[in-house]
């Protein structure tokens, strides 16, 4: 396995709108981030992944960009950005930008031009098609945020493609001018000194020519994903990007790759394929796994632990030596991981947050911590539609009720559990009003549990989730085995415990995580490895008890007689 700094790094994701507000308008901003960089230095992370801060009309909170080289007014100025970058670098923290180039905003100058006329020089920057003879859209694809993936435009009487919201028209990557402009913009940011890119839905940039109809789903729209996920030219485009941008700077790169399979990942993130460093795969967070619900992710059942372990283990072992993994349980699109995979009840909150952290941080790959995860923040679970802000949640709520006749309380139940807004409530800094996030009215409600769960209290407390994450990150920085060691799953069929080992140069670690609120007998395979001379590297309970694992217990052993 080749060594690289980005393999040894820990990344922290900031969702700027919800991180820290510096001027009391209720919206997080760049100066707010700058004011909290010391907090991140204390946590010990190496890289910030900054969700979009570019100019945007905010149809999708910045994932709809109207100018790639300007900063959103609400977030500050380019001077504020430069100051943040300089300060971060002084503190030894790198900054990875979000790159959203599958689509732009419909307010981007390219699209404003493109929609003007069929012979506008920017026409082919986007994907325009005539409707069908009966006036229907060019094909039956549904958009990710509901409705058809096509929007009729009066001006030229043609449809444009939008895989997400109407205000997010898809760029036409088959047009070499689009690629040239995107690469130029990326180099501009690199020359500014940024340290990498997280590439939004990069697996969707190449569409199958002809844009064929997809199989019908639920009677309304066809599933277009076989024709736009991991499309025919995606690897060609990424290699071109690598040659013209990425290889010219020292960067960390990760592609968000919904629908990615192991063989595809070996291309996107292969050791020698000259594309990206790593991808975010989605199988373990539910996509394409578990029992698919009637309404996709909204009513999907939780998958059995054995299945979840099989997915994560497959990615661990099959990429070994060939490509590099990213490790994550949460981000701004997922409900809070503590609520989804752990237990957010008072009694088990802290212990299960530490268990989940142990599980993911002891695997091979680059770990990503989503803001507030290091505090054990939980789903807000708002029960009034007025409290939701996310376009996806608002659209689906409407559709579920009006199109599918789902009762109000059931639809609300889905949102409470699954909505992306669960992850987007303000960062909980302290126990003062609005959790110290803003002195004004926050753009989205603060989770009322900030009086219990907040950064200030946890920084002082050696037994907090924050202190535990600090320790996990410190250990990774000190021990090559945590970064590079090979992975092996034990007890694959066990539905309560997640057990695995890591091995490097004669050293061996044993990782044990109890995913239940029950006492569980330690299996023989683990007891054997624990033996007499094993030492505990880290654990979430104070006292050792070999034979029984307590609720949500996590412990990592340095297996006896192996070197440390
Ligand atoms: O997400 C794309 C994506 O595949 C999902 O995580 C998506 O949000 C989810 O499946 C919806 O059910 C990226 C961004 O992370 C997300 O915030 C944006 O809304 C989206 O692209 C469009 O830019
Ligand atoms: Ca602000």
């Amino acid at each position: 396995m080749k060594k690289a700094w980005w393999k040894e790094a820990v990344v922290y994701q900031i969702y700027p709108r919800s991180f820290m507000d510096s001027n009391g308008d209720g919206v997080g901003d760049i100066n707010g981030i700058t004011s909290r960089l010391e907090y991140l230095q204390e946590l010990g992370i190496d890289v910030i992944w900054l969700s979009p801060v570019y100019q945007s009309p905010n149809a999708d909170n910045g994932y709809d960009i109207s100018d790639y080289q300007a900063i959103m007014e609400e977030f500050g100025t380019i001077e504020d950005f430069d100051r943040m970058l300089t300060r971060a670098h002084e503190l030894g923290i790198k900054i990875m930008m979000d790159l959203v180039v599958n689509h732009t905003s419909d307010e981007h100058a390219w699209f404003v031009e493109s929609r003007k006329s069929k012979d506008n020089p920017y026409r082919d920057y986007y994907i325009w098609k005539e409707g069908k003879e009966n006036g229907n859209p060019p094909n039956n694809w549904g958009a990710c945020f509901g409705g058809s993936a096509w929007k009729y435009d009066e001006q030229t009487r043609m449809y444009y493609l939008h895989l997400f919201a109407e205000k997010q028209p898809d760029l036409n990557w088959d047009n070499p001018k689009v690629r040239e402009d995107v690469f130029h913009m990326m180099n501009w940011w690199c020359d500014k000194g940024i340290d990498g890119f997280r590439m939004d839905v990069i697996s969707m940039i190449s569409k199958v020519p002809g844009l064929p109809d997809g199989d019908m789903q639920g009677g309304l729209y066809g599933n277009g994903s076989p024709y736009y996920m991991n499309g025919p030219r995606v690897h060609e485009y990424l290699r071109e990007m690598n040659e013209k941008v990425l290889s010219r700077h020292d960067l960390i790169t990760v592609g968000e790759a919904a629908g990615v399979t192991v063989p595809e990942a070996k291309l996107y993130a292969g050791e020698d394929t000259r594309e990206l460093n790593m991808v975010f795969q989605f199988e373990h967070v539910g996509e394409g796994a578990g029992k698919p619900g009637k309404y996709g992710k909204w009513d999907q059942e939780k998958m059995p632990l054995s299945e979840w372990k099989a997915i994560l283990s497959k990615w661990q072992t099959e990429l070994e030596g060939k490509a590099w993994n990213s490790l994550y349980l949460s981000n701004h699109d997922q409900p809070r991981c503590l609520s989804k995979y752990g237990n957010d009840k008072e009694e088990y909150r802290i212990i299960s947050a530490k268990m989940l952290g142990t599980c993911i941080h002891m695997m091979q790959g680059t770990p990503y911590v989503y803001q507030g995860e290091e505090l054990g923040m939980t789903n807000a679970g708002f029960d009034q539609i007025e409290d939701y802000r996310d376009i996806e949640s608002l659209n689906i709520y409407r559709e579920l009720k009006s199109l599918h006749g789902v009762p109000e309380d059931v639809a609300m139940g889905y949102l409470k559990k699954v909505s992306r807004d669960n992850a987007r409530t303000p960062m909980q800094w302290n126990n003062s009003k609005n959790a110290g996030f803003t002195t004004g009215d926050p753009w989205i409600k603060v989770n009322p549990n900030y009086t219990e769960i907040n950064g200030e209290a946890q920084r002082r407390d050696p037994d907090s989730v924050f202190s535990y994450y600090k320790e996990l990150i410190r250990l990774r920085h000190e021990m090559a085995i945590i970064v590079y060691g090979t992975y092996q799953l034990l007890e694959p069929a066990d539905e309560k415990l997640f057990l695995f080992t890591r091995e490097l140069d004669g050293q061996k670690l044993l990782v044990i995580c109890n995913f239940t609120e029950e006492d569980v007998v330690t299996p023989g395979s683990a007891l054997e490895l624990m033996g007499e001379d094993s030492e505990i590297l880290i654990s979430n309970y104070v006292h050792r008890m070999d034979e029984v694992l307590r609720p949500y217990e996590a412990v990592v052993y340095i297996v006896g007689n192996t070197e440390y």
Side-chain angles (χ1 to χ4, degrees), residues 25 51 95 101 109 138-139 145 147 226 235 276 295 299 344 356 387 434-435 476 488 495 511 531 534 549:
D25 67 353
S51 276
I95 294 190
V101 290
N139 72 21
F145 294 156
H235 298 292
L276 306 176
Y295 311 118
D299 58 342
D344 60 12
L356 291 173
D387 292 334
N434 293 322
R476 173 168 287 260
Q488 199 192 341
E495 296 293 357
V511 181
S534 293
L549 295 156

Side-chain angles (χ1 to χ4, degrees), residues 20-30 32 73-76 437-438:
M20 181 67 205
D21 175 21
S22 71
N23 63 351
D25 67 353
V27 173
D29 47 50
I30 290 176
E73 239 169 82
E74 283 178 302
F75 287 176
F437 163 72
T438 181

Side-chain angles (χ1 to χ4, degrees), residues 308-535:
W308 200 67
K309 294 192 296 187
I311 291 170
L312 285 164
S313 302
K314 172 184 77 180
W315 284 90
Q316 288 288 299
T317 50
E318 294 192 23
L319 295 198
E320 170 70 40
K322 302 193 179 75
W324 191 249
N325 273 297
S326 66
L327 306 170
Y328 76 99
L329 291 180
S330 39
N331 61 39
H332 65 294
D333 293 332
Q334 297 290 327
R336 288 280 172 186
C337 65
L338 174 55
S339 301
K340 185 168 171 186
Y341 309 100
N343 190 328
D344 60 12
K345 276 186 246 137
E346 178 73 39
E347 211 182 336
Y348 297 119
R349 187 169 53 72
I350 296 172
I351 205 82
S352 71
K354 292 177 181 174
M355 184 280 287
L356 291 173
T358 312
C359 185
I360 213 76
H361 282 256
M362 285 297 147
M363 290 186 187
Q364 190 193 72
T366 300
Y368 289 72
V369 179
Y370 177 66
Q371 67 184 42
E373 179 187 332
E374 78 283 11
L375 304 176
M377 277 178 64
T378 66
N379 279 354
F382 298 133
D383 46 23
Q384 288 190 320
I385 194 66
E386 294 73 37
D387 292 334
Y388 287 88
R389 299 285 176 271
D390 172 28
I391 183 170
E392 183 195 37
S393 304
L394 297 175
N395 287 355
I396 195 76
Y397 178 77
R398 217 181 29 236
E399 274 193 11
L400 285 171
K401 291 192 5 174
S402 63
L403 252 39
H404 302 282
V406 173
E408 156 77 27
D409 57 323
V410 176
M412 188 50 67
Y414 295 156
L415 257 53
K416 283 173 78 162
K417 238 174 96 178
V418 186
S419 170
R420 307 195 294 182
D421 280 338
N422 282 307
R424 299 177 179 185
T425 61
M427 179 72 176
Q428 293 165 203
W429 294 107
N430 56 42
N431 65 6
S432 71
K433 192 166 175 247
N434 293 322
F437 163 72
T438 181
T439 54
D441 287 328
W443 70 278
I444 188 171
K445 273 192 179 166
V446 177
N447 189 323
N449 66 18
Y450 71 88
T451 47
E452 295 291 312
I453 305 172
N454 67 69
E456 197 175 288
Q458 295 200 22
R459 282 165 94 169
R460 283 187 256 116
D461 175 4
D463 295 326
S464 66
V465 180
F466 179 85
S467 299
Y468 194 87
Y469 264 71
K470 235 171 104 173
E471 183 66 3
L472 286 171
I473 295 167
R474 187 185 67 78
L475 288 172
R476 173 168 287 260
H477 287 150
E478 282 180 6
M479 296 174 71
I481 186 172
I482 298 176
V483 178
Y484 295 108
T486 57
Y487 168 101
Q488 199 192 341
L489 178 69
L490 305 179
E491 308 291 342
D494 196 309
E495 296 293 357
K496 294 178 179 167
L497 303 179
F498 198 155
L499 304 175
F500 59 90
T501 59
R502 302 289 307 280
E503 258 184 290
L504 186 75
D505 302 332
Q507 189 184 18
K508 191 168 191 164
L509 299 180
L510 169 66
V511 181
I512 304 181
C513 296
N514 180 0
F515 271 72
T516 73
E517 52 179 84
E518 297 159 36
D519 286 343
V520 181
V521 176
T522 311
S525 55
L527 284 170
E528 222 170 90
L529 286 170
M530 282 150 60
E532 275 181 10
D533 324 311
S534 293
E535 262 179 69

Side-chain angles (χ1 to χ4, degrees), residues 60 63 103 145 198 200-201 256 297 332-333 392 420:
D60 186 19
Y63 283 89
H103 44 267
F145 294 156
R198 172 269 184 187
D200 194 66
V201 288
E256 190 203 23
K297 71 173 180 179
H332 65 294
D333 293 332
E392 183 195 37
R420 307 195 294 182

Side-chain angles (χ1 to χ4, degrees), residues 208-271:
V208 169
L211 313 175
D213 279 332
D215 291 341
M216 289 307 284
Q217 289 174 312
L220 284 174
Y221 296 103
N223 173 17
S225 64
Y227 307 110
Y228 59 72
M229 274 178 183
N230 310 304
R233 297 178 71 183
V234 65
H235 298 292
E236 173 195 330
Y237 296 154
L238 288 177
R239 280 192 287 266
E240 186 183 341
M241 181 195 284
N242 187 293
E243 187 203 317
K244 296 186 174 158
V245 185
L246 310 180
S247 62
R248 303 184 181 187
H249 313 270
D250 184 20
L251 302 172
I252 174 170
T253 56
V254 54
E256 190 203 23
V260 71
T261 58
V262 164
E264 283 289 336
K266 287 180 188 168
L267 294 173
Y268 284 117
E271 292 272 300

